[in-house]
């Protein structure tokens, strides 16, 4: 059997590659956002290395595709997200870089009332193939205005598909739509408990599963990958095998994706359960700036393992 070559990519490199492939395949794909190119319109900086946004994710794209397709914008989220919605409605396929998800409040009207509803409002005659890519989650001590998750807000909005991948392979595939939206992935098989974890929490759950395995407890870790649409069938099938459920969600707990998953399993899989559903989430507070408090805020492998033990 021929061996399969593999490569190692960071999460940021996988995002960069996905955008690069999409832009090579379709000249209608454009990228816009704050500092995605660097140097804005300053002539003497035009050939400098790209800044690549807040975390360097789009670094180098302007050199290949030029400033007509990689567009630095003013610091006005309502302006460039609105421009992206308009571009999408007229046939372009924009990727808009919203630096941190917490900034969605500035451009909520453009996302929720315009982009998400255009197709419905025009009876299916309008299309809005817009991708908004952003950074979620705590851990960098970037304080409350740069550290939220908030994917539950977008999952709540009809007309928007919400993706929260946990690995470089998933983020690259999902960004290119190579992996069908609405298909969960079982990251670890197990027979004693199902742990459903979202985005970076998948890695916390896998670490907790290793701790539990040393005690003879085999946890199955399910990564939904997309939250709207949500692959509830895979979650329910897992719970039918393990009979117990723990949900790990870094977002705040009220009206959360964790609460929705718990409600679905309680409604459609109640007879499979041998114990209560447990949710391990952030507290209902803003993200603290203090590093020790921030670490206490983020669901840890230890908290996940404790939740599993409590229902066994």
């Amino acid at each position: 059997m021929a061996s399969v070559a593999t490569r190692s990519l960071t999460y940021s490199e996988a995002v960069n590659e996905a955008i690069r492939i999409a832009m090579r395949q379709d000249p209608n794909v454009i990228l816009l956002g704050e500092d995605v190119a660097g140097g804005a319109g300053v002539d003497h900086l035009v050939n400098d290395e790209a800044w690549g946004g807040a975390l360097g994710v789009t670094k180098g794209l302007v050199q290949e595709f030029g400033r007509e397709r990689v567009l630095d914008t003013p610091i006005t989220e309502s302006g460039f997200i609105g421009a992206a919605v308009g571009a999408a409605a007229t046939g372009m396929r924009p990727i808009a870089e919203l630096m941190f998800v917490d900034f969605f409040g500035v451009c909520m009207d453009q996302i929720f009332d315009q982009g998400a509803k255009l197709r419905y409002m025009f009876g299916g005659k309008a299309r809005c193939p817009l991708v908004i890519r952003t950074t979620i989650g705590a851990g960098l001590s970037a304080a409350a205005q740069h550290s939220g998750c908030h994917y539950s807000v977008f999952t709540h909005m009809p007309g928007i598909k919400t993706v929260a991948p946990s690995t470089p392979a998933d983020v690259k595939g999902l960004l290119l739509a190579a992996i069908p939206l609405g298909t969960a992935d079982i990251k670890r098989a197990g027979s004693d408990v199902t742990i459903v974890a979202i985005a970076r929490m998948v890695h916390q759950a896998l670490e907790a599963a290793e701790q539990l395995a040393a005690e003879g407890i085999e946890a199955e870790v399910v990564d939904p990958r997309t939250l709207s649409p949500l692959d509830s069938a895979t979650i329910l099938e897992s719970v039918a095998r393990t009979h117990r459920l723990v949900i790990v969600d870094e977002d705040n707990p009220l009206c959360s994706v964790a609460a929705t998953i718990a409600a679905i399993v309680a409604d459609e899989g109640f007879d499979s359960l041998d114990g209560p559903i447990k949710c391990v989430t952030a507290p209902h507070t803003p993200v603290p700036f203090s590093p020790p408090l921030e670490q206490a805020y983020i669901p840890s492998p230890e908290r996940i393992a404790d939740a599993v033990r409590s229902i066994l």
Side-chain angles (χ1 to χ4, degrees):
M1 182 180 293
S3 61
V4 178
T6 61
R7 292 189 303 140
S8 294
L9 290 176
T10 67
Y11 198 97
S12 295
E13 288 168 343
V15 173
N16 185 287
E17 283 198 7
I19 296 173
R20 193 181 299 272
I21 290 168
M23 294 185 76
R24 286 174 179 172
Q25 290 177 342
D26 187 346
N28 289 316
V29 177
I30 60 172
L31 174 71
L32 67 164
E34 296 162 5
D35 294 335
V36 294
V42 181
D43 291 340
H44 72 280
L45 294 177
V46 74
N47 294 318
D48 280 11
E49 177 61 273
W51 294 354
L55 300 176
V57 173
T58 59
K59 205 170 182 64
L61 294 176
V62 69
Q63 276 76 14
E64 179 171 350
F65 302 104
R67 292 181 181 271
E68 291 186 353
R69 293 182 65 194
V70 180
L71 305 161
D72 270 341
T73 67
I75 303 174
T76 168
E77 286 77 11
S78 57
F80 73 79
I81 296 294
V85 170
T90 55
M92 304 298 288
R93 301 185 70 86
I95 301 169
E97 292 274 325
L98 186 64
M99 281 187 170
F100 296 94
V101 71
D102 305 84
F103 301 166
F104 78 87
V106 183
C107 48
M108 178 66 93
D109 178 68
Q110 287 74 16
I111 298 171
F112 181 47
D113 261 345
Q114 307 306 325
K117 296 177 181 175
L118 273 178
R119 189 174 180 86
Y120 182 84
M121 296 293 285
F122 287 92
K125 295 179 181 179
R127 298 179 69 248
C128 191
L130 163 63
V131 172
I132 299 175
R133 202 198 67 78
T134 190
T135 303
I136 64 170
L140 297 176
S141 295
Q145 293 179 336
H146 303 81
S147 304
C149 281
H150 309 312
Y151 35 66
S152 59
V153 177
F154 302 99
T155 303
H156 176 74
M157 297 178 185
I160 294 177
K161 294 181 173 67
T162 306
V163 178
S166 64
T167 66
D170 282 349
V171 73
K172 183 175 179 180
L174 288 165
L175 193 52
L176 287 168
I179 302 171
L181 295 182
T183 303
D185 185 41
I186 296 176
K187 292 290 196 277
R188 186 188 193 278
S191 57
D192 297 322
V193 61
T194 296
I195 304 176
V196 177
I198 299 168
R200 188 167 73 97
M201 294 299 101
V202 171
H203 303 283
Q204 304 284 70
L206 289 170
E207 187 174 333
E210 291 302 311
Q211 293 179 16
L212 293 165
E215 304 169 22
I217 301 168
E218 291 299 327
E220 182 154 288
V221 178
V222 179
D223 178 359
R225 299 196 293 193
T226 69
L227 305 177
S228 178
L230 177 69
D231 182 4
S232 57
T234 294
I235 295 170
L236 288 164
E237 288 165 7
S238 178
V239 173
R241 290 191 296 272
T242 68
H243 308 293
R244 295 171 180 85
L245 175 62
V246 171
I247 306 161
V248 189
D249 182 356
E250 191 184 338
D251 208 349
N252 306 116
L254 298 186
C255 303
S256 64
V257 175
T260 296
I261 293 172
I264 290 170
V265 174
D267 179 36
E268 300 181 36
F270 182 79
D271 290 341
S272 297
L273 291 167
D274 286 347
I277 298 169
K278 293 292 184 179
C279 294
V280 182
T281 70
H284 198 62
T285 68
V287 181
F289 172 69
S290 160
L293 286 177
E294 184 181 39
Q295 290 308 307
Y297 176 97
I298 300 168
S300 67
E302 291 72 24
R303 283 177 57 199
I304 298 166
D306 284 344
V308 169
R309 295 184 190 104
S310 74
I311 59 172
L312 285 171

